Amino acid sequence: MKKIVIVGGGAGGLELATKLGNKLGRKNKAHITLVDKNRTHLWKPLLHEVAAGSLDDGIDAVSYRAHATNHHFSFKLGAMKKLNRINKVISLDALFDEDGTMILPESEVEYDILVMALGSVSNDFNTKGVREHCIFLDSPQQAKIFHHRMLNKYLQLGVHETKSVNVAIIGAGATGVELSAELYNSLKQVSSYGFEHINSADLHVSLVEAGDSILPALPKRISASAHKELLKLGVDIRTKTMVVEANEQGLLTQSGELIKADLMVWAAGIKAPDYLKELAGLETNRINQLMVRGTLQTTLDKDIYAIGDCASCPLPGGGFVPPRAQSAHQMASLVGKNIMASLNDKPLTEYKYTDYGSLVSLSDYSTVGSLMGNLMKGSMMIEGRIARIVYISLYRMHQVALHGYIRTGLMTIVERINRVLRPRLKLH
Ligand SMILES: Cc1cc2nc3c(=O)[nH]c(=O)nc-3n(C[C@H](O)[C@H](O)[C@H](O)COP(=O)(O)OP(=O)(O)OC[C@H]3O[C@@H](n4cnc5c(N)ncnc54)[C@H](O)[C@@H]3O)c2cc1C
């Protein structure tokens, strides 16, 4: 039986493992193994909500082991570190518990077909002090660190001469913009849970962007609309501001200004994990993404596919497929088809990226974005409630791919019940 190994159970990898498990694993046509360095999956676009405390990852996270059992694939916990293309084997790091005791030694997993779906990490462009002083929103663990520090800052307000909480977010892409709005929403909630002395004047969020405008990758109208909403909330938007250093006091800009901050989040660009650069001689680009052909097989090895943020897939008109959840979702779908075709000696299909538009959620305040479709020429701007519904439907599509329609429906009902039963904000 062919061994299919998928490394990374994120937006793309977990959907693919589920699909192949249901189609091939269930009928014993192939053995599918998903490898992830974490025990649970949380859809990455929810991380800013975990950081702000409006989402409890303990409730939304999917256990890989339980999901694998329900969908006929195996799960292996571990971080991939090496690849041997000649022997067709990947190596996983040893596993350690919190106090450094080794749980499992290094191990190996054999494959016939390998899918790399490792996602991306924040790119600090080697800016001085960023690694030491800024938080990256790359994982639920990091988002929770930010959340705890934020709650501690609220506890200190009025004590030790702490008069306000200053947060600086570097990078005004979707993550930075969404987090800024979410922080004001969480402040509103926090004051209703025993922090009555706190009000919006106590939070100061600086959103720092090197480009001319916020949301530089989105159409001007959307960026302008989001800009207006953030100003209303009180966000201090600093465009055309290049950060050259982060230190204990805050951010140092190219013009020599110090933007004071107690907490700093770096959300200015992504790269694929550094170790991909030297992974068994596979071809990579300048941000370590694996170069793929139209079929999503890597350029130098047809038995290795790459999907999602760690793949560099050229677009026919120039440029590359953007690192987004919708790309990971579409790529997972195509690679699923291609793997099944290859097992049946059928020709493989080329990936065609479909841009369904981009939406940015400004928490409870607004949602803005553009939709692309066949019915309209180009894009259409949407805002408010309709935009919010479309934004949420992106996550629902991911849930449907993992759990099917009935379970997703039930989960949606449970979410609504939880909104009544549980606090609106995670307070621990
Ligand atoms: C705060 C935030 C908001 C976002 N909002 C949006 C949005 O609104 N719309 C949108 O389209 N996109 C959004 N994105 C981008 C989107 O989340 C990513 O494009 C998408 O998750 C990429 O999917 P992926 O499967 O490639 O990787 P991921 O979903 O990141 O999954 C990668 C997986 O690989 C695992 N992994 C990594 N390294 C290893 C290793 N060495 N060994 C084993 N496992 C490993 C990780 O644990 C993870 O489970 C957002 C991103 C962030 C951070």
Side-chain angles (χ1 to χ4, degrees):
M1 209 183 334
K2 290 272 186 207
K3 297 185 204 86
I4 302 167
V5 175
I6 301 158
V7 188
L14 187 57
E15 290 190 13
L16 178 63
T18 308
K19 183 177 178 152
L20 292 176
N22 289 339
K23 298 251 175 193
L24 301 173
R26 193 161 63 91
K27 297 177 192 151
N28 282 326
K29 289 190 173 168
H31 187 267
I32 294 107
T33 304
L34 175 71
V35 176
D36 201 287
K37 60 182 179 180
N38 292 315
R39 294 167 204 260
T40 57
H41 158 79
L42 186 78
W43 198 55
K44 211 174 173 185
L46 297 175
L47 286 184
H48 67 283
E49 293 186 31
V50 176
S54 24
L55 186 113
D56 185 343
D57 73 309
I59 293 171
D60 271 66
V62 177
S63 152
Y64 284 122
R65 208 162 278 287
H67 191 76
T69 306
N70 291 339
H71 296 276
H72 318 279
F73 64 88
S74 305
F75 172 64
K76 182 123 176 102
L77 178 65
M80 175 184 176
K81 61 166 200 174
K82 270 191 239 148
L83 165 67
N84 183 331
R85 292 203 282 132
I86 297 160
N87 297 340
K88 290 196 156 189
V89 70
I90 61 165
S91 312
L92 309 185
D93 261 335
L95 270 180
F96 296 90
D97 69 11
E98 294 76 29
D99 59 18
T101 313
M102 192 196 283
I103 308 168
L104 288 174
E106 281 184 29
S107 58
E108 293 193 333
V109 184
E110 290 175 6
Y111 69 87
D112 295 301
I113 298 172
L114 177 66
V115 183
M116 301 291 285
L118 294 158
S120 58
V121 293
S122 300
N123 193 347
D124 65 3
F125 306 98
N126 296 322
T127 310
K128 192 173 166 197
V130 168
R131 222 137 258 290
E132 295 81 8
H133 300 285
C134 297
I135 296 174
F136 301 114
L137 285 191
D138 290 335
S139 68
Q141 292 85 335
Q142 288 162 313
K144 279 192 283 192
I145 289 174
F146 176 85
H147 177 57
H148 285 153
R149 291 191 187 162
M150 190 78 198
L151 285 179
N152 290 344
K153 285 284 162 205
Y154 286 145
L155 279 174
Q156 286 178 327
L157 264 180
V159 191
H160 306 312
E161 294 180 6
T162 308
K163 294 200 175 62
S164 62
V165 177
N166 299 306
V167 181
I169 302 168
I170 308 96
T175 303
V177 167
E178 290 184 342
L179 179 64
S180 305
E182 204 61 60
L183 288 178
Y184 280 92
N185 183 42
S186 84
L187 179 93
K188 203 173 67 188
Q189 303 292 344
V190 104
S191 59
S192 62
Y193 289 110
F195 289 96
E196 291 84 5
H197 58 290
I198 298 178
N199 60 56
S200 61
D202 297 321
L203 177 66
H204 186 257
V205 177
S206 307
L207 181 60
V208 187
E209 165 63 46
D212 292 350
S213 64
I214 65 164
L215 299 171
L218 298 187
K220 279 222 152 33
R221 274 178 70 196
I222 295 169
S223 149
S225 174
H227 192 113
K228 214 168 90 193
E229 290 293 334
L230 291 184
L231 285 183
K232 267 199 255 166
L233 290 176
V235 178
D236 174 20
I237 302 175
R238 314 274 195 115
T239 49
K240 298 183 193 156
T241 306
M242 177 71 87
V243 172
V244 290
E245 185 186 323
N247 56 39
E248 289 85 9
Q249 286 152 24
L251 303 168
L252 205 59
T253 70
Q254 202 168 36
S255 62
E257 187 194 356
L258 174 74
I259 300 175
K260 284 200 171 167
D262 309 304
L263 285 172
M264 293 173 269
V265 176
W266 186 272
I270 59 123
K271 60 177 178 177
D274 286 334
Y275 82 101
L276 291 189
K277 204 164 30 193
E278 277 141 23
L279 194 70
L282 291 175
E283 200 183 358
T284 52
N285 65 8
R286 77 187 155 78
I287 54 163
N288 313 327
Q289 289 171 311
L290 297 164
M291 308 290 287
V292 293
R293 324 167 197 187
T295 53
L296 301 180
Q297 290 160 299
T298 48
T299 44
L300 301 181
D301 192 327
K302 67 176 179 36
D303 294 327
I304 302 178
Y305 293 81
I307 63 172
D309 285 7
C310 73
S312 171
C313 179
L315 287 167
F320 294 87
V321 174
R324 291 196 193 151
Q326 58 174 313
S327 321
H329 170 77
Q330 293 169 23
M331 287 174 159
S333 237
L334 183 101
V335 166
K337 284 184 194 141
N338 277 349
I339 288 179
M340 286 189 271
S342 74
L343 295 182
N344 294 320
D345 291 325
K346 298 234 170 83
L348 307 193
T349 311
E350 299 250 318
Y351 173 58
K352 229 177 102 201
Y353 171 63
T354 313
D355 187 352
Y356 291 108
S358 303
L359 289 155
V360 179
S361 163
L362 303 171
S363 188
D364 282 0
Y365 306 104
S366 181
T367 302
V368 292
S370 63
L371 280 188
M372 319 273 260
N374 298 331
L375 294 177
M376 50 209 140
K377 284 197 182 111
S379 71
M380 178 182 83
M381 176 162 167
I382 56 168
E383 246 176 306
R385 197 150 175 77
I386 300 177
R388 180 79 195 154
I389 292 167
V390 181
Y391 180 85
I392 292 169
S393 68
L394 241 185
Y395 180 43
R396 297 283 175 240
M397 272 165 58
H398 176 63
Q399 287 182 306
V400 168
L402 299 187
H403 311 292
Y405 284 100
I406 295 173
R407 282 178 84 109
T408 302
L410 292 172
M411 286 167 153
T412 311
I413 294 169
V414 171
E415 260 174 49
R416 291 195 175 247
I417 296 172
N418 273 338
R419 250 189 256 166
V420 179
L421 296 181
R422 305 180 64 88
R424 294 292 298 267
L425 195 76
K426 192 160 184 271
L427 297 158
H428 55 275

